[in-house]
Amino acid sequence: MIVVLKHGVEAAKREQLIDWLKGQGLTIHISEGEYQTVLGLVGDTTRVDMDLIASLGIVDSVKRVTEPFKCCNRKFHPDDTVIDVNGVKIGGNFVMIAGPCSVESEEQIVAVAKAVKASGANILRGGAFKPRTSPYDFQGLKATGLELLKIARQETGLPIVTEIMGVEHLPLFEDVDIIQVGARNMQNFDLLRELGKLRKPILLKRGLASTLKELLMSAEYIMAGGNEQVILCERGIRTFDDYTRNTLDLAAVPMLKELTHLPIIVDPSHATGIARLVEPMALAATACGADGLIIEVHNDPMHALCDGAQSLRPEVYDDLAQKVRSIREVIAK
Amino acid sequence: MIVVLKHGVEAAKREQLIDWLKGQGLTIHISEGEYQTVLGLVGDTTRVDMDLIASLGIVDSVKRVTEPFKCCNRKFHPDDTVIDVNGVKIGGNFVMIAGPCSVESEEQIVAVAKAVKASGANILRGGAFKPRTSPYDFQGLKATGLELLKIARQETGLPIVTEIMGVEHLPLFEDVDIIQVGARNMQNFDLLRELGKLRKPILLKRGLASTLKELLMSAEYIMAGGNEQVILCERGIRTFDDYTRNTLDLAAVPMLKELTHLPIIVDPSHATGIARLVEPMALAATACGADGLIIEVHNDPMHALCDGAQSLRPEVYDDLAQKVRSIREVIAK
Amino acid sequence: MIVVLKHGVEAAKREQLIDWLKGQGLTIHISEGEYQTVLGLVGDTTRVDMDLIASLGIVDSVKRVTEPFKCCNRKFHPDDTVIDVNGVKIGGNFVMIAGPCSVESEEQIVAVAKAVKASGANILRGGAFKPRTSPYDFQGLKATGLELLKIARQETGLPIVTEIMGVEHLPLFEDVDIIQVGARNMQNFDLLRELGKLRKPILLKRGLASTLKELLMSAEYIMAGGNEQVILCERGIRTFDDYTRNTLDLAAVPMLKELTHLPIIVDPSHATGIARLVEPMALAATACGADGLIIEVHNDPMHALCDGAQSLRPEVYDDLAQKVRSIREVIAK
Amino acid sequence: MIVVLKHGVEAAKREQLIDWLKGQGLTIHISEGEYQTVLGLVGDTTRVDMDLIASLGIVDSVKRVTEPFKCCNRKFHPDDTVIDVNGVKIGGNFVMIAGPCSVESEEQIVAVAKAVKASGANILRGGAFKPRTSPYDFQGLKATGLELLKIARQETGLPIVTEIMGVEHLPLFEDVDIIQVGARNMQNFDLLRELGKLRKPILLKRGLASTLKELLMSAEYIMAGGNEQVILCERGIRTFDDYTRNTLDLAAVPMLKELTHLPIIVDPSHATGIARLVEPMALAATACGADGLIIEVHNDPMHALCDGAQSLRPEVYDDLAQKVRSIREVIAK
């Protein structure tokens, strides 16, 4: 950490700050310039409050030179994490997660599960607990939805992933293969901490206004508890742009692969909110090196209870899946 | 709701859509133009999924003409809501909420409470459960912190407001006067729904990337449950701007006063993250018509356990409080 | 255009507004609802000032239902525009534009031109007039740089594209094949209007904070003057994200292809500002259907005078170009 | 400038970088940590390309510790700049700039000028050259508009400020008192450079997506040419927020006053785009320490040719001006 002092600060105040920093177990290197003095802080700066230091009258600015995340930092774990979900590898090879926005009925979820499996999907998604902006919108089938997902798993052999909305529902998720944390809960720290106590894969979606560092710090909450099976998911960020629902930030994929060893998948359905943009953005995500895709597929969009606007019909998904495989072959060369 | 059809759509498909819309209890007005046909949907469109309609091949675009929020909509409740907290009115006259970022000790919280009361504050704030980006940062004194707040309330008579982080902590908050929902939990819908069952004021902070409509829809979650005592709080949004922590969106204050009857307060401490910007932004918030301010005050910023960078010393707060009162006099004329 | 009136407006004021709208040659359809009255404006609403109407006391909101752009609107010109630059087709097949950030010397520009041609590039880029944030940074070789570009064109046969910074430089650009308008000048309307008088291809880069509609309105400035040869370029937008220089908005590619018949290329070099992210984002842009790529290539990044951080060495570009061709084959199937 | 090297870099590569940096006249301080080595660069780092260094394989990150602006930096010029425009001081005391969006006729501009003067305005604004998003919108009276402004100046004695759109119009602006550079031209560097050759006040508006540093770098372009009379103007930035046209970033006011000695005024009319929000935001801007306000006033908004939505009627402006003076008294105490 680097602390830049203002020009002409009193020696006494400067010494007071240096003593206080040393009191936190740090070694201080002093470098004097014409207009300012720079303090280099060496040691464990993870717990140093840089905002507090920046607020002091004698300080011009503070810069961190090390990332504050450890468990998920590629510097300390150079090899890719590979997560095994009932034989499906996430992080090692490409994973195709697909299914309806909401679980609606046994007939629906089993039909979609069979269809996406036939197209090459290896994990089934489906919402049972639905976060909705409006209290008047459909909120999901909840516990019943979870049971229907398990039936679809039994029928197809596909592991299931579904979203949790609060700590109080954890007992219901015991038999779920991957627990999803939605974008709005990315900084629900109580929930993250509880998930850290499990030994089960967590699919962590990036928040709408979250930096990559914040996403990694949320992964860190889970990993610090001992659960190292975290899958990151880019699903669009909020910008001034108003033609798509969110702005899919695909450069986050290669950037995250530099910063962390965790697998990174992409959700083009929620990112764009428009079914006809899902295929081009799925192909783009594959081309830039994502470890997988999570895509909404529905057998009858006209009657879907939520988010129908972004769901694909099975035949469109099938076509997309073939192109994805061809692109994987190109970039794997 | 307005549905614009594409040019030259098949009559059969058009009729199918119209029938489907009528099946949802709506009346349809058709207006034909040279390049497109516009359908006007009259009736209760709150439950109509505009994204789904927008996704249909024959539809060009969909526009809502009524807001989807009801309980908090000023159109249906023209008079300002006034919330009474042990005699302190929020919404009727100006409210000054102040206190430390975190509760640290009995000595600290009582000292700050007495100081801010002497400066004219009428509600005490203090964090017991702290949402922190990093799992390695101080997370608050939790239940102990709540007890210390109650001691400070007893010593000064000031009602207390403090943040809740999850449904599972609700029993601990029974004797808290105002429960705060932080920006990161603004769309923790499970939590909002539980708070809707209480009959206790809720201070709802705007999320970092939330539109005003989303803030109001979150208030609607609480109010739809029967708890009409919601206080909104603008605390800065996330933008490209990098000199302050967040961008304080003060135009939201007069805009929200048009849209809703709920009181709106401003938090200049978290918005800027810089102590020396708190006074100018507090004065600005007062000048544009906010119903109150929530400000961080600490008796010793150098040793604050978190967010010290944005806390004021009591003497600075005292000066600020005087200026705020003078500005209130100007705009109340 | 749809005008929603407030509940309970005076009949006299309402009639005054309707008369005023009719005075602008519009036909008005009136639809009365329980809480509001909606006016449907039919006719040429391109010149109607929707902000003015929205500001009137009796108006609740105004929504446009037709896009304000015409010349570049795909609704009125369903077929893709194909621009022919000395035999190189832009819009019909994939175009590879490459070259150094700045033209530095004859040796440099000729060497890079030959290298990128060998890798399959069919247009040469190179900056002669450089927009720099700081007045103290290198501003380009200007007229000399243009001459060097022409030498490279003669040596390789590659058409050249280079950026113009102001109307006053137009005479110098007579012999340039494609004139580039940079992101910062996307709304330099005087410049756009002058370029509309030419009959020469214009490469129009999207502004950092421009919506797709604004980009298209700027294209419209050029086309309204009679110059229909406009190439759009997505090069990243400004968001809160701080790991890459800008956020490459790839969903803009398929979205623009719906809205307009103009060709759309992508600039992954400026979008990310990081050389090692150029390849993944170039592949992603290709996969989602871009009509071409513009990429910075330099023979010695360590000594580049500007933007070296995002330039590729020729051998890296060669590898990228091969992968791009393979991905084109996949999506062209 | 601080350069953080990656862990375990080859000694030879490290020496090569250090030699190259020394070759640019810098002194290098080396500080070795457990996981990384930090190089401190001392000397004139204004011209060092930090993006280039960041792109090198052995470099982890680069941080600037000094601002790249000099002429406008308060560190080197602690006293406030005061600009005298025909006796009106900008920077010393509060300035009230007002007038119509567009100059439309002699009758209109003289009437508005007299009205705003009577309310206490001391500078007249009015658009003659209008930057419009659409080529089909009214573009201003141009040279005729400038003449009408001069007539209004003669009638009232108010100095005039009006926007320039391109270098080619400079001769027409010789007799204008203050030349305005609009938000869209904030990085039209050719224009800025030419304005730097004048000895006339320049009102420089912040771009929609410009950081404070970029705004100051644009001021630096003008000042580096010898023209030190620059007035900065905050007028709203582009964010995800959709209720107001832009988000007025008032914290920029106290922040800019720390960073620079130049005067800072605020434009609440363009920032919000909504007439009824102009007063609250004008009062807020005054309360947080702005050096003045620029506000749109029109005698008949219903017939304004552009931007009528955000213009105030003279009587509303008069009321606003009185409140502004009262708030100035409060904060000047």
Side-chain angles (χ1 to χ4, degrees):
Chain A
M1 192 175 283
I2 302 295
V3 177
V4 183
L5 301 184
K6 285 188 183 152
H7 186 47
V9 304
E10 280 176 52
K13 287 197 169 171
R14 184 177 125 168
E15 290 315 305
Q16 193 188 353
L17 173 63
I18 291 172
D19 287 350
W20 182 75
L21 291 168
K22 284 182 179 166
Q24 303 196 26
L26 302 167
T27 306
I28 316 297
H29 290 200
I30 303 177
S31 148
E32 312 247 5
E34 190 181 354
Y35 282 108
Q36 57 206 352
T37 299
V38 177
L39 308 182
L41 279 51
V42 181
D44 180 7
T45 58
T46 317
R47 282 173 179 71
V48 176
D49 184 340
M50 65 183 276
D51 288 335
L52 170 60
I53 297 171
S55 76
L56 301 175
I58 63 170
V59 171
D60 188 84
S61 61
V62 183
K63 322 253 173 194
R64 243 184 215 293
V65 294
T66 47
E67 294 99 351
F69 45 90
K70 291 178 172 176
C71 301
C72 61
N73 197 328
R74 194 180 279 277
K75 275 184 196 155
F76 311 127
H77 307 73
D79 294 334
D80 281 354
T81 284
V82 177
I83 295 169
D84 188 311
V85 186
N86 303 349
V88 178
K89 298 264 193 307
I90 306 180
N93 54 347
F94 201 75
V95 67
M96 293 285 284
I97 307 176
C101 173
S102 292
V103 179
E104 294 166 33
S105 67
E106 179 177 332
E107 192 190 5
Q108 172 241 22
I109 188 69
V110 171
V112 176
K114 287 181 176 171
V116 300
K117 188 184 181 187
S119 298
N122 35 20
I123 298 181
L124 175 67
R125 61 145 288 153
F129 291 84
K130 302 294 305 172
R132 304 302 304 270
T133 306
S134 166
Y136 310 120
D137 287 346
F138 174 62
Q139 313 272 327
L141 292 184
K142 303 183 178 174
T144 310
L146 294 179
E147 290 313 308
L148 298 179
L149 275 170
K150 290 177 200 165
I151 293 172
R153 174 174 61 187
Q154 202 163 11
E155 296 277 324
T156 58
L158 295 177
I160 55 177
V161 56
T162 192
E163 181 168 351
I164 194 167
M165 282 181 61
V167 169
E168 68 278 17
H169 303 306
L170 262 175
L172 291 170
F173 283 71
E174 259 189 27
D175 191 25
V176 163
D177 302 297
I178 306 176
I179 300 179
Q180 176 178 316
V181 177
R184 292 181 182 81
N185 272 321
M186 193 202 86
Q187 293 194 318
N188 182 335
F189 300 121
D190 271 21
L191 177 59
L192 300 177
R193 207 177 284 112
E194 288 304 311
L195 296 174
K197 296 177 186 163
L198 306 182
R199 292 299 172 267
K200 190 189 275 292
I202 307 299
L203 174 54
L204 179 65
K205 290 196 151 190
R206 181 182 182 186
L208 272 122
S210 298
T211 61
L212 300 190
K213 192 189 105 179
E214 287 169 340
L215 172 60
L216 292 172
M217 292 310 292
S218 285
E220 195 81 8
Y221 259 94
I222 300 168
M223 298 174 84
N227 185 357
E228 302 197 335
Q229 302 180 69
V230 180
I231 304 151
L232 305 175
C233 181
E234 161 63 31
R235 43 80 71 214
I237 56 173
R238 185 156 273 180
T239 71
F240 65 86
D241 212 28
D242 53 1
Y243 269 93
T244 48
R245 189 194 294 165
N246 299 294
T247 299
L248 184 61
D249 177 19
L250 283 181
V253 173
M255 199 71 227
L256 282 169
K257 293 197 88 67
E258 277 191 31
L259 295 168
T260 183
H261 49 90
L262 297 174
I264 298 116
I265 67 169
V266 172
D267 177 348
S269 304
H270 283 85
T272 63
I274 300 174
R276 60 192 188 273
L277 296 185
V278 171
E279 179 177 302
M281 301 326 290
L283 301 183
T286 308
C288 71
D291 293 307
L293 294 167
I294 179 164
I295 289 178
E296 284 192 9
V297 177
H298 199 283
N299 43 5
D300 183 1
M302 193 74 176
H303 296 91
L305 293 175
C306 78
D307 273 355
Q310 70 206 19
S311 288
L312 302 183
R313 283 197 313 270
E315 58 272 27
V316 177
Y317 180 71
D318 189 64
D319 187 54
L320 177 157
Q322 287 183 41
K323 288 186 184 155
V324 164
R325 282 188 291 267
S326 301
I327 287 185
R328 280 292 293 173
E329 280 169 31
V330 172
I331 66 159
K333 272 175 199 166
Chain B
M1 193 176 281
I2 302 295
V3 177
V4 183
L5 301 184
K6 284 188 183 152
H7 186 47
V9 302
E10 280 176 53
K13 286 197 170 169
R14 185 176 123 166
E15 288 317 303
Q16 193 188 353
L17 174 62
I18 291 172
D19 287 350
W20 183 74
L21 290 168
K22 284 183 177 164
Q24 302 196 28
L26 301 168
T27 306
I28 316 297
H29 290 200
I30 304 178
S31 146
E32 311 247 6
E34 190 181 355
Y35 282 108
Q36 57 206 354
T37 299
V38 177
L39 308 181
L41 281 49
V42 181
D44 180 9
T45 58
T46 316
R47 281 173 180 71
V48 176
D49 185 339
M50 65 183 276
D51 288 335
L52 170 59
I53 298 172
S55 75
L56 301 174
I58 64 169
V59 171
D60 188 86
S61 61
V62 183
K63 322 255 172 191
R64 240 182 219 293
V65 295
T66 46
E67 293 98 352
F69 44 89
K70 291 178 173 178
C71 302
C72 61
N73 197 327
R74 194 180 278 277
K75 277 184 196 155
F76 311 127
H77 308 72
D79 294 333
D80 281 354
T81 285
V82 177
I83 295 169
D84 187 310
V85 187
N86 303 351
V88 178
K89 298 263 193 308
I90 306 181
N93 55 347
F94 202 75
V95 67
M96 294 285 283
I97 307 176
C101 173
S102 292
V103 180
E104 294 166 32
S105 67
E106 180 177 332
E107 192 189 4
Q108 172 242 20
I109 189 68
V110 171
V112 176
K114 287 182 176 170
V116 299
K117 187 183 183 187
S119 298
N122 35 21
I123 298 181
L124 175 67
R125 62 146 288 152
F129 290 85
K130 301 295 305 171
R132 303 302 304 269
T133 305
S134 166
Y136 309 120
D137 287 346
F138 173 62
Q139 313 271 328
L141 292 184
K142 302 182 179 175
T144 310
L146 294 179
E147 290 314 307
L148 298 178
L149 274 172
K150 291 176 201 167
I151 293 172
R153 173 173 62 187
Q154 202 164 11
E155 294 279 324
T156 58
L158 294 178
I160 55 177
V161 56
T162 191
E163 180 168 350
I164 193 166
M165 281 182 62
V167 169
E168 69 277 17
H169 303 306
L170 262 174
L172 290 170
F173 282 71
E174 259 189 27
D175 192 25
V176 164
D177 302 298
I178 306 176
I179 300 179
Q180 177 178 316
V181 177
R184 291 181 183 81
N185 273 322
M186 193 202 85
Q187 293 194 317
N188 183 335
F189 301 121
D190 272 20
L191 178 59
L192 299 178
R193 207 178 285 113
E194 288 305 311
L195 296 175
K197 296 177 186 163
L198 307 183
R199 294 297 172 267
K200 189 190 275 293
I202 307 299
L203 174 54
L204 178 65
K205 290 196 152 190
R206 181 182 182 185
L208 271 123
S210 299
T211 61
L212 300 190
K213 192 188 103 177
E214 287 169 341
L215 172 60
L216 291 172
M217 291 311 291
S218 286
E220 195 81 8
Y221 259 94
I222 300 169
M223 297 175 84
N227 185 359
E228 303 196 336
Q229 302 180 67
V230 179
I231 304 151
L232 305 175
C233 180
E234 161 63 32
R235 44 78 73 214
I237 57 173
R238 186 157 272 181
T239 70
F240 67 86
D241 212 30
D242 54 359
Y243 269 93
T244 47
R245 189 195 293 165
N246 299 295
T247 299
L248 184 60
D249 177 18
L250 282 181
V253 172
M255 199 71 227
L256 282 169
K257 293 197 87 68
E258 277 191 31
L259 295 168
T260 183
H261 49 90
L262 298 174
I264 299 116
I265 67 170
V266 171
D267 177 346
S269 303
H270 284 85
T272 62
I274 301 173
R276 60 191 188 274
L277 296 185
V278 171
E279 178 176 303
M281 301 326 290
L283 300 183
T286 308
C288 70
D291 293 308
L293 294 167
I294 178 163
I295 288 178
E296 284 193 9
V297 177
H298 199 284
N299 44 4
D300 183 1
M302 194 73 175
H303 295 91
L305 292 175
C306 78
D307 273 355
Q310 68 206 19
S311 288
L312 303 184
R313 284 196 313 269
E315 58 272 27
V316 177
Y317 180 71
D318 189 64
D319 187 53
L320 177 158
Q322 288 183 40
K323 287 185 183 154
V324 164
R325 282 188 291 267
S326 301
I327 286 185
R328 280 292 294 175
E329 280 169 30
V330 171
I331 66 159
K333 272 175 200 166
Chain C
M1 193 176 281
I2 302 295
V3 177
V4 183
L5 301 184
K6 285 187 182 153
H7 186 46
V9 303
E10 280 175 54
K13 287 197 170 172
R14 184 177 124 166
E15 288 318 303
Q16 193 188 353
L17 174 63
I18 290 172
D19 287 349
W20 182 75
L21 291 168
K22 284 182 178 166
Q24 302 197 27
L26 301 167
T27 305
I28 316 296
H29 290 199
I30 304 177
S31 148
E32 312 246 6
E34 189 181 356
Y35 282 108
Q36 55 205 354
T37 299
V38 177
L39 308 182
L41 279 50
V42 181
D44 180 8
T45 58
T46 317
R47 282 170 178 75
V48 176
D49 185 339
M50 64 182 278
D51 288 336
L52 170 59
I53 298 171
S55 75
L56 300 175
I58 63 170
V59 171
D60 187 84
S61 62
V62 183
K63 322 252 175 195
R64 245 185 215 292
V65 294
T66 46
E67 293 98 351
F69 45 91
K70 290 177 173 177
C71 302
C72 62
N73 197 328
R74 193 181 278 277
K75 276 183 195 155
F76 311 126
H77 307 73
D79 293 335
D80 281 355
T81 285
V82 178
I83 295 170
D84 187 312
V85 187
N86 303 350
V88 178
K89 298 264 192 308
I90 307 180
N93 55 345
F94 201 75
V95 67
M96 294 284 284
I97 307 175
C101 173
S102 292
V103 180
E104 292 166 34
S105 67
E106 180 177 331
E107 193 190 4
Q108 172 241 20
I109 188 69
V110 172
V112 176
K114 287 182 178 171
V116 299
K117 188 184 181 186
S119 298
N122 36 20
I123 297 180
L124 176 66
R125 60 145 289 152
F129 290 85
K130 303 293 306 170
R132 304 302 306 271
T133 305
S134 166
Y136 310 120
D137 286 347
F138 173 61
Q139 312 272 327
L141 292 184
K142 302 183 180 174
T144 309
L146 294 179
E147 290 314 308
L148 298 178
L149 274 171
K150 290 175 200 167
I151 293 173
R153 174 174 60 186
Q154 202 163 12
E155 295 277 325
T156 58
L158 295 178
I160 55 176
V161 56
T162 191
E163 180 168 351
I164 194 167
M165 280 181 63
V167 170
E168 68 279 15
H169 303 307
L170 261 175
L172 291 169
F173 283 71
E174 258 188 29
D175 192 25
V176 164
D177 302 297
I178 306 176
I179 300 179
Q180 177 178 316
V181 177
R184 291 179 183 83
N185 273 320
M186 194 202 84
Q187 293 193 318
N188 183 335
F189 301 121
D190 272 20
L191 178 59
L192 299 177
R193 209 179 284 113
E194 288 305 311
L195 297 174
K197 296 177 185 162
L198 306 181
R199 293 298 173 270
K200 192 190 273 294
I202 307 300
L203 174 54
L204 178 66
K205 290 196 152 190
R206 180 182 183 185
L208 272 123
S210 299
T211 61
L212 300 190
K213 193 189 102 180
E214 286 169 342
L215 172 60
L216 292 173
M217 292 310 291
S218 286
E220 194 81 7
Y221 259 93
I222 299 168
M223 298 175 84
N227 185 359
E228 302 197 334
Q229 301 180 68
V230 180
I231 304 150
L232 305 174
C233 180
E234 161 63 30
R235 42 78 73 216
I237 57 173
R238 186 157 273 181
T239 71
F240 67 84
D241 213 29
D242 54 359
Y243 269 93
T244 48
R245 190 195 293 164
N246 299 294
T247 299
L248 184 60
D249 177 18
L250 282 181
V253 173
M255 199 71 226
L256 282 169
K257 293 197 89 63
E258 277 191 30
L259 295 169
T260 183
H261 48 90
L262 298 174
I264 298 115
I265 67 169
V266 171
D267 177 348
S269 303
H270 283 86
T272 62
I274 300 173
R276 60 191 189 273
L277 296 185
V278 171
E279 179 176 303
M281 300 327 289
L283 301 183
T286 308
C288 68
D291 293 306
L293 294 168
I294 178 164
I295 289 178
E296 284 192 11
V297 178
H298 198 283
N299 44 6
D300 184 0
M302 193 73 175
H303 295 93
L305 292 175
C306 76
D307 273 353
Q310 69 205 21
S311 288
L312 302 184
R313 284 196 314 270
E315 59 272 26
V316 177
Y317 180 72
D318 189 64
D319 186 54
L320 176 158
Q322 288 183 40
K323 287 185 184 154
V324 163
R325 283 188 290 269
S326 302
I327 286 184
R328 281 293 293 174
E329 280 169 32
V330 171
I331 66 159
K333 271 176 198 165
Chain D
M1 192 176 282
I2 302 295
V3 178
V4 183
L5 300 183
K6 284 185 183 155
H7 186 46
V9 303
E10 279 176 55
K13 287 197 169 171
R14 184 177 124 168
E15 288 317 304
Q16 193 187 353
L17 174 62
I18 290 171
D19 286 350
W20 182 76
L21 290 168
K22 284 182 178 165
Q24 303 196 26
L26 301 168
T27 306
I28 316 297
H29 290 198
I30 304 176
S31 148
E32 312 247 6
E34 189 179 357
Y35 281 108
Q36 57 206 352
T37 299
V38 177
L39 307 181
L41 279 49
V42 181
D44 180 9
T45 59
T46 316
R47 281 170 179 75
V48 176
D49 185 340
M50 63 182 279
D51 287 335
L52 171 59
I53 298 172
S55 76
L56 301 174
I58 62 170
V59 171
D60 187 86
S61 62
V62 183
K63 322 253 175 194
R64 245 184 214 293
V65 295
T66 47
E67 294 97 352
F69 45 91
K70 291 177 173 178
C71 302
C72 62
N73 197 327
R74 194 181 277 278
K75 275 183 195 156
F76 310 127
H77 307 74
D79 294 334
D80 282 354
T81 284
V82 178
I83 295 170
D84 188 311
V85 187
N86 303 350
V88 179
K89 298 263 193 307
I90 306 179
N93 55 345
F94 201 75
V95 67
M96 294 285 283
I97 307 177
C101 173
S102 292
V103 180
E104 293 166 33
S105 67
E106 181 178 329
E107 192 189 5
Q108 172 241 20
I109 188 69
V110 171
V112 176
K114 287 182 176 170
V116 299
K117 188 185 181 187
S119 298
N122 35 21
I123 297 181
L124 176 66
R125 61 145 289 152
F129 291 84
K130 302 294 305 171
R132 303 303 304 270
T133 305
S134 167
Y136 310 121
D137 286 348
F138 174 61
Q139 312 272 326
L141 292 184
K142 303 184 179 174
T144 309
L146 294 180
E147 290 313 308
L148 298 178
L149 274 171
K150 291 176 200 165
I151 293 173
R153 174 174 62 188
Q154 203 164 9
E155 295 276 325
T156 58
L158 295 178
I160 55 176
V161 56
T162 192
E163 180 168 351
I164 194 166
M165 281 181 63
V167 168
E168 68 277 19
H169 302 307
L170 261 176
L172 290 169
F173 283 72
E174 261 190 24
D175 192 24
V176 163
D177 303 297
I178 306 175
I179 300 180
Q180 177 178 316
V181 177
R184 291 179 182 82
N185 273 319
M186 193 201 86
Q187 293 193 319
N188 183 336
F189 300 121
D190 273 19
L191 178 59
L192 299 177
R193 208 180 283 112
E194 287 305 311
L195 296 174
K197 296 177 186 162
L198 306 182
R199 294 298 173 269
K200 192 190 271 296
I202 307 300
L203 174 55
L204 179 66
K205 289 195 152 191
R206 181 181 182 187
L208 271 122
S210 300
T211 61
L212 300 190
K213 194 189 102 179
E214 287 168 341
L215 172 60
L216 292 172
M217 292 311 290
S218 286
E220 194 82 6
Y221 259 93
I222 300 168
M223 298 176 84
N227 185 358
E228 302 197 334
Q229 302 180 68
V230 180
I231 304 151
L232 305 174
C233 180
E234 161 63 30
R235 45 77 75 215
I237 57 173
R238 186 157 271 181
T239 71
F240 66 85
D241 213 30
D242 54 0
Y243 270 92
T244 48
R245 189 195 293 166
N246 299 294
T247 299
L248 184 61
D249 176 19
L250 282 180
V253 173
M255 200 71 227
L256 282 169
K257 293 198 88 65
E258 277 192 30
L259 295 168
T260 183
H261 49 91
L262 297 174
I264 298 115
I265 67 169
V266 172
D267 177 347
S269 304
H270 284 86
T272 63
I274 301 173
R276 58 191 190 274
L277 295 186
V278 171
E279 178 176 303
M281 301 326 289
L283 301 183
T286 307
C288 70
D291 293 307
L293 294 167
I294 178 164
I295 289 178
E296 284 193 11
V297 177
H298 199 284
N299 43 5
D300 184 1
M302 193 73 175
H303 294 93
L305 292 176
C306 78
D307 273 353
Q310 68 206 20
S311 288
L312 302 184
R313 284 198 312 271
E315 59 272 28
V316 176
Y317 180 71
D318 189 65
D319 186 53
L320 176 158
Q322 287 183 41
K323 287 185 183 155
V324 164
R325 282 188 290 268
S326 301
I327 287 184
R328 280 293 294 175
E329 279 170 31
V330 171
I331 66 159
K333 271 175 198 166

